[in-house]
Amino acid sequence: MILGIGSDLCDIRRIEKSIERFGDRFTHRIYTEGERARSDRRAARAPSYARRFAAKEACAKALGTGLSQGVFWRDMEVVNLPSGRPTMRLTGGALERLQAMTPPGHRAIVHVSLTDDPPLAQAFVIIEAIPA
């Protein structure tokens, strides 16, 4: 069963300007160490950061909280499964919210789709509960 759906569209130029203006202050506030390492390895850093920003926004929407009620930016991390498929690793308030919305006897799976077509990056997040 679907527990939540979220989508977000992000202007890559906006993220690029934030990185230029605030540097590490911006990236350390929004992104986990793993996300920073992955994005900083890429030649096109800004689109990578923008896709992850959109995924965090989409995940917060799928959780039904937005960035409030104890859900913070770094509580949601875009990670890749061994197959390369993206998903989200939730911690802190985001994980608490996910656990609260997952029915007893079920486990949650977070599906993520990321794309960009400059100047835009887009993400979709679907939270699904399946029997444990």
Side-chain angles (χ1 to χ4, degrees):
M1 88 181 70
I2 294 176
L3 301 178
I5 300 174
S7 67
D8 192 65
L9 195 59
C10 178
D11 190 326
I12 296 168
R13 297 167 296 191
R14 186 175 130 230
I15 299 300
E16 189 170 38
K17 286 177 186 172
S18 293
I19 293 169
E20 288 171 4
R21 183 171 179 196
F22 302 108
D24 287 349
R25 216 169 104 219
F26 171 72
T27 58
H28 284 75
R29 179 174 173 254
I30 305 295
Y31 304 96
T32 66
E33 184 177 331
E35 289 172 318
R36 291 190 311 269
R38 188 167 181 98
S39 293
D40 288 342
R41 282 194 307 261
R42 300 193 180 272
R45 288 177 66 214
S48 179
Y49 276 117
R51 287 189 302 270
R52 283 161 177 72
F53 188 92
K56 290 169 181 279
E57 288 274 10
C59 185
K61 292 172 185 176
L63 289 169
T65 60
L67 289 158
S68 66
Q69 300 177 35
V71 176
F72 299 100
W73 290 107
R74 287 178 291 159
D75 290 347
M76 301 167 284
E77 178 181 18
V78 177
V79 295
N80 293 86
L81 299 174
S83 65
R85 185 177 70 152
T87 188
M88 302 290 291
R89 178 183 300 137
L90 304 183
T91 60
L95 179 59
E96 289 174 17
R97 173 65 182 145
L98 180 66
Q99 291 169 339
M101 65 192 290
T102 304
H106 288 74
R107 67 180 181 92
I109 298 175
V110 182
H111 302 279
V112 178
S113 178
L114 304 172
T115 192
D116 68 77
D117 187 8
L120 299 174
Q122 185 176 36
F124 290 96
V125 171
I126 299 173
I127 301 173
E128 177 185 20
I130 60 171

